[in-house]
Amino acid sequence: MRTVQGPSSRVVIVGAGLAGLSAALHLAGRGRQVTVVERESWPGGRAGRVDVGGYRIDTGPTVLTMPDIIDDTFAAVGETTSARLDLMTVDPAYRAQFADGSSLTVHSDADQMAHAIEEFAGAKQADGYRNLRDWLTRLYRTEFDGFIARNFDSPLSLVNPQLARLAAIGGFRKWNTMVNRHITDPRLQRVFTFQSLYAGVAPRQALAVYAVIAYMDTIAGVFFPRGGMRALPDALAAAAADAGVHFVYDSTVTGLERAGDRVVAVHTDQDQRIACDAVILTTELPTTYTLLGREPRRVGRLRPAPSAVVAHIGRRRSPSANPALAHHNIVFGGEWDQTFTDIIRDGRLMRDPSLLITNPTASDPSLAPPDHDLFYVLAPAPNLERGNVDWSRIGDSYTEQLMDVVAARLIPGLRDGAEVLHVVNPQDWARQGMVAGTPFALAHTFAQTGPFRPGNMPRGVDNVVLAGSSTVPGVGVPTAMISGRLAADRITGAVDRSAPTVVAEAGRS
């Protein structure tokens, strides 16, 4: 594995998102002096926040999986998750509502889920679920260490024993093909393939290796931090600060000072010059390339993932609210396959919307004023590169349409006293610097997977490493945190993560 050569005692991390915080903790645990520069006044990056009228809104991801990766990150400085964060299990993980009026609660427990499926679609489908669960578990165990959680120096890095095992269990076939081998009910198939939207590829085109996201969602379990998703970056930043990491908030990095092929200092818009031996950039790709003064040479153009419209809605809790409403709810439209054609191929709004509706106050009522609920409605949408939607013209009316869909399919009477608190559409994501106006970064096509994704060691500079959603391993909370650890490995070399961690005094010896 290639690593940064030369001195690496002082590391500057640009960006206090989950990748940057993960890198900071891993580096602090390995004795480096770490400074994190963040343009906002809080940590979190894509896991953003807005407070409106007593509502505490998370503007980024709301689905949290794989707490063992969080454990590993805290452990880097000798901490535990439980000492810093109250993680609650979300059960059911989801409630799926289908166009025919049927619904299914999705549990991570095998017996609970098999029982729910048997009542929903019969014993044969329940047996198929158990077989699918076994396959997803084997898929995860085969690919995690060998592909997701490792650095690649070239495509030849793929040639290892895990590659043959992954091919043998169907990892390089199509996602929906492998799922459909085990379950035949179209509604159930959607429950185990909708996650391909996170990867930015339709399930009939996505590689089955990405079905590992379905493992994370439906088997490993879904969690939620008390205090909202913002509690995770807050806890990581607090642990990092206690381990000696220095944070510089409200400062935007404007330039990298070089001496030959090395960066020797970072400059900010606050007239700061921060000397360093190595730099980790977790910035959005356009910003990253501007700072580096170059773009990578690639055979083809990078393909951004689809985007999303996210509407945050508050209202007084209704005594007639849907009693089956869960923390996470998926409303599937009748034309599910058309959804991908609309937003990915044709660049248009969904004609028959499928939505994720999150009700975080179901787990933590403190996120809203007393006797009020907070709803997060996510609608997949074309990114700005593919689509031709005039968001400045239709933004408000589209939010109204989404509310009508939610009221008709999931929350009767939603509009009674409802208040639109905050809306983010692709134009808003673009104003935050996100490529093509998508918070999901680059689509996980084969040409943008593993060693074919923009690497975390850019050419032309000897001591800069990349981390975040646009580099390896990809998009999502768990992968962003793994990305930070992979970046730390590029600076220090990989370490035995089973060994006890000893954190030096602040100042890092």
Side-chain angles (χ1 to χ4, degrees):
M1 181 184 73
R2 290 175 54 219
T3 59
V4 168
Q5 299 301 300
S8 63
S9 297
R10 302 168 302 168
V11 182
V12 171
I13 299 173
V14 182
L18 295 176
L21 294 169
S22 171
L25 284 160
H26 284 286
L27 288 169
R30 301 174 195 181
R32 269 41 178 193
Q33 300 176 33
V34 181
T35 299
V36 179
V37 184
E38 168 58 45
R39 67 182 179 182
E40 302 291 353
S41 56
W42 57 78
R46 273 180 166 82
R49 60 189 72 181
V50 172
D51 294 338
V52 180
Y55 292 93
R56 300 169 66 197
I57 299 170
D58 291 318
T59 60
T62 60
V63 180
L64 182 62
T65 62
M66 305 305 293
D68 54 314
I69 295 171
I70 299 172
D71 294 341
D72 182 61
T73 307
F74 280 114
V77 293
E79 296 254 14
T80 63
T81 302
S82 59
R84 292 284 182 177
L85 196 64
D86 183 5
L87 272 186
M88 300 177 284
T89 301
V90 176
D91 186 27
Y94 295 95
R95 178 178 181 267
Q97 179 77 40
F98 302 96
D100 64 1
S102 62
S103 64
L104 174 70
T105 52
V106 178
H107 302 275
S108 57
D109 178 81
D111 292 336
Q112 276 186 293
M113 188 60 180
H115 178 70
I117 289 176
E118 184 170 356
E119 289 191 334
F120 178 77
K124 185 176 180 180
Q125 297 301 307
D127 290 341
Y129 156 73
R130 289 188 182 275
N131 293 331
L132 174 61
R133 183 185 177 96
D134 289 343
W135 177 76
L136 287 170
T137 302
R138 283 187 289 124
L139 180 74
Y140 172 77
R141 291 174 178 168
T142 301
E143 73 174 279
F144 184 80
D145 287 330
F147 294 91
I148 297 174
R150 66 170 291 189
N151 278 307
F152 294 96
D153 289 331
S154 76
L156 291 177
S157 302
L158 281 172
V159 182
N160 58 48
Q162 286 102 321
L163 180 69
R165 288 194 288 270
L166 193 56
I169 64 173
F172 296 107
R173 303 198 69 181
K174 299 303 182 186
W175 185 335
N176 68 335
T177 298
M178 297 305 298
V179 169
N180 295 357
R181 281 185 170 188
H182 301 287
I183 51 178
T184 58
D185 187 298
R187 299 167 299 175
L188 288 177
Q189 290 169 351
R190 294 176 186 182
V191 169
F192 294 97
T193 59
F194 82 89
Q195 300 88 350
S196 69
L197 273 172
Y198 302 152
V201 185
R204 62 182 177 272
Q205 296 171 330
L207 293 176
V209 292
Y210 289 113
V212 71
I213 310 174
Y215 168 87
M216 295 176 180
D217 273 7
T218 65
I219 297 175
V222 176
F223 300 82
F224 188 70
R226 192 175 303 279
M229 288 294 287
R230 69 180 67 184
L232 174 58
D234 284 349
L236 293 169
D242 285 350
V245 174
H246 178 56
F247 285 87
V248 181
Y249 290 108
D250 297 307
S251 294
T252 298
V253 171
T254 55
L256 305 178
E257 180 184 330
R258 295 200 193 196
D261 291 333
R262 296 182 70 87
V263 172
V264 296
V266 167
H267 291 261
T268 78
D269 61 352
Q270 303 300 312
D271 294 325
Q272 298 156 306
R273 179 187 183 274
I274 305 171
C276 60
D277 298 313
V279 177
I280 295 177
L281 297 177
T282 71
T283 43
E284 303 295 338
L285 272 186
T287 302
T288 297
Y289 295 149
T290 297
L291 289 171
L292 292 175
R294 63 185 296 275
E295 294 196 16
R297 295 190 301 271
R298 290 181 63 88
V299 174
R301 295 177 64 248
L302 292 171
R303 176 179 153 187
S307 186
V309 175
V310 183
H312 300 273
I313 300 163
R315 73 161 192 170
R316 181 171 291 279
R317 188 169 298 131
S318 169
S320 61
N322 184 345
L325 192 68
H327 184 119
H328 295 297
N329 306 269
I330 309 166
V331 173
F332 289 103
E335 301 297 327
W336 172 241
D337 290 338
Q338 186 65 39
T339 293
F340 296 91
T341 301
D342 285 343
I343 65 176
I344 296 176
R345 191 194 72 183
D346 297 341
R348 59 179 294 168
L349 297 174
M350 295 177 289
R351 284 171 277 186
D352 184 10
S354 292
L355 309 173
L356 169 66
I357 298 99
T358 294
N359 176 206
T361 43
S363 297
D364 187 353
S366 73
L367 300 177
D371 301 318
H372 284 70
D373 275 318
L374 175 62
F375 300 100
Y376 163 116
V377 180
L378 184 150
N383 63 47
L384 297 181
E385 182 178 289
R386 173 62 65 178
N388 53 10
V389 180
D390 184 352
W391 291 106
S392 61
R393 182 179 62 83
I394 71 140
D396 291 344
S397 63
Y398 190 58
T399 300
E400 296 295 317
Q401 292 175 41
L402 294 179
M403 291 178 68
D404 288 340
V405 172
V406 175
R409 300 185 189 177
L410 186 68
I411 309 175
L414 171 67
R415 285 189 168 278
D416 296 338
E419 178 184 5
V420 178
L421 304 168
H422 184 70
V423 179
V424 188
N425 64 43
Q427 280 187 342
D428 299 315
W429 301 121
R431 279 190 283 269
Q432 296 178 41
M434 298 181 193
V435 63
T438 173
F440 303 114
L442 302 179
H444 285 268
T445 61
F446 178 77
Q448 295 177 171
T449 294
F452 305 110
R453 201 168 180 82
N456 59 5
M457 289 199 80
R459 304 289 179 180
V461 60
D462 292 342
N463 62 339
V464 173
V465 182
L466 308 186
S469 298
S470 295
T471 185
V472 291
V475 178
V477 172
T479 42
M481 297 187 68
I482 291 171
S483 175
R485 196 263 299 165
L486 294 178
D489 289 349
R490 289 291 196 183
I491 291 174
T492 68
V495 301
D496 180 1
R497 301 202 303 280
S498 65
T501 299
V502 178
V503 180
E505 294 297 325
R508 312 289 94 210
S509 60

